[in-house]
């Protein structure tokens, strides 16, 4: 069975009837004959026409293969790659924070008073590159990478520490005090996160104990 799909307007045809009278003179007599000519104008679609054959003879069999489960080594390699990317992001964020601080402190040939004021506001409380904002962003990234698994906290915490060390290497020495404040806030956030995880575990254990006691009572 062929199905035709036409993407165009509706087309029609028109018929024109033309009457012709012909006079013939023969043996001194005139004879008039009439003939009818029919002319049909046909309108063709100018749009593209596509045909689709639904016959099962031309149907291709498509098979899908389930994705293979990653091995333990592959999972570890993927985790290591994510941790390395996280460390680099931490280092880059600290670098931008230091650059913004430098703009706020030093008005030079390439830094206008307007740029200096904007940088000063950015590192001030509530600003984009303030210790509070940077530490919050880093902690949010760490929690997102953990997938809610508190057991990965130490791994992510070490990645942050390595990120700070990488930033120090890039800038050739100890970072300014604004990064020290950022570091302290991040470590405080990790401590609170660990505490929340411990409390959540205790609640889960207590709930299981209550269920066991209820089952025994019944």
């Amino acid at each position: 069975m062929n199905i035709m799909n036409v993407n165009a307007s509706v087309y029609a045809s028109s018929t024109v009837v033309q009457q012709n009278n012909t006079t013939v003179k023969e043996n001194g007599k005139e004879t008039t004959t009439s003939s009818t000519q029919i002319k049909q104008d046909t309108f063709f679609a100018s749009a593209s026409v596509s045909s689709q054959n639904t016959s099962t003879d031309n149907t291709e069999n498509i098979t899908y293969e389930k994705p293979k489960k990653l091995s333990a080594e592959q999972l570890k390699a993927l985790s290591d790659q994510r941790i390395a990317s996280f460390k680099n992001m931490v280092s880059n964020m600290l670098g931008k924070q230091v650059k913004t601080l430098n703009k706020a402190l030093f008005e030079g040939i390439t830094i206008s008073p307007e740029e200096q004021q904007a940088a000063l506001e950015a590192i001030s409380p509530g600003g984009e590159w303030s210790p509070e904002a940077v530490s919050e962003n880093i902690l949010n990234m760490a929690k997102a990478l953990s997938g809610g698994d508190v057991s990965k906290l130490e791994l992510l915490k070490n990645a942050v520490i390595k990120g700070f060390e990488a930033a120090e290497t890039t800038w050739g020495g100890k970072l300014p005090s604004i990064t020290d404040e950022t570091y302290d806030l991040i470590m405080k956030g990790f401590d609170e996160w660990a505490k929340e995880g411990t409390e959540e575990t205790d609640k889960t254990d207590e709930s299981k104990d209550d269920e066991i006691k209820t089952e025994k009572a019944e």
Side-chain angles (χ1 to χ4, degrees):
M1 176 182 178
N2 291 329
I3 300 175
M4 304 294 292
N5 297 321
V6 181
N7 297 322
S9 303
V10 177
Y11 291 89
S13 61
S14 63
T15 302
V16 177
V17 180
Q18 183 176 357
Q19 186 75 28
N20 295 324
N21 295 323
T22 304
T23 303
V24 179
K25 188 174 183 180
E26 186 179 355
N27 298 327
K29 295 182 179 181
E30 291 183 355
T31 304
T32 303
T33 59
S34 299
S35 64
T36 302
Q37 181 181 1
I38 300 176
K39 180 181 179 182
Q40 185 173 358
D41 296 327
T42 305
F43 296 81
F44 298 94
S46 60
S48 60
V49 179
S50 62
S51 67
Q52 180 181 358
N53 195 325
T54 60
S55 173
T56 56
D57 296 337
N58 296 329
T59 302
E60 295 182 1
N61 294 324
I62 301 175
T63 57
Y64 295 92
E65 185 177 337
K66 290 183 178 180
K68 295 180 181 179
K69 187 176 181 180
L70 295 178
S71 64
E73 291 78 9
Q74 290 173 322
L75 288 173
K76 185 179 184 305
L78 183 61
S79 176
D80 291 343
Q81 183 180 3
R82 289 176 177 173
I83 293 298
S85 297
F86 176 57
K87 184 205 77 173
N88 291 334
M89 282 192 291
V90 171
S91 179
N92 290 336
M93 289 182 72
L94 293 173
K96 290 181 180 179
Q97 188 181 44
V98 173
K99 286 182 179 179
T100 306
L101 175 67
N102 289 340
K103 283 185 179 181
L105 295 178
F106 305 105
E107 179 186 349
I109 298 175
T110 60
I111 301 175
S112 66
E114 292 77 15
E115 288 177 320
Q116 183 185 29
Q117 181 60 32
L120 183 61
E121 293 175 357
I123 62 172
S124 299
E128 180 183 3
W129 295 105
S130 64
E132 295 80 11
V134 175
S135 61
E136 183 179 1
N137 288 334
I138 291 174
L139 285 168
N140 286 339
M141 285 191 293
K143 290 180 179 180
L145 281 173
S146 74
D149 187 357
V150 184
S151 65
K152 296 180 180 179
L153 186 149
E154 286 300 321
L155 182 64
L156 294 163
K157 186 176 181 179
N158 289 333
V160 170
I161 294 173
K162 290 180 179 179
F164 272 83
E165 292 174 352
E168 286 181 348
T169 301
T170 300
W171 287 89
K174 183 174 174 57
L175 297 173
S177 60
I178 189 173
T179 59
D180 291 337
E181 295 177 39
T182 303
Y183 180 87
D184 292 341
L185 288 172
I186 294 173
M187 293 302 122
K188 181 180 178 181
F190 274 121
D191 291 341
E192 293 175 352
W193 184 14
K195 184 178 179 182
E196 291 172 1
T198 302
E199 292 176 351
E200 190 65 28
T201 302
D202 292 341
K203 288 180 181 178
T204 302
D205 293 339
E206 289 177 2
S207 178
K208 289 181 179 179
D209 292 339
D210 292 339
E211 289 178 1
I212 294 172
K213 291 178 181 178
T214 303
E215 289 176 358
K216 288 182 178 181
E218 293 178 351

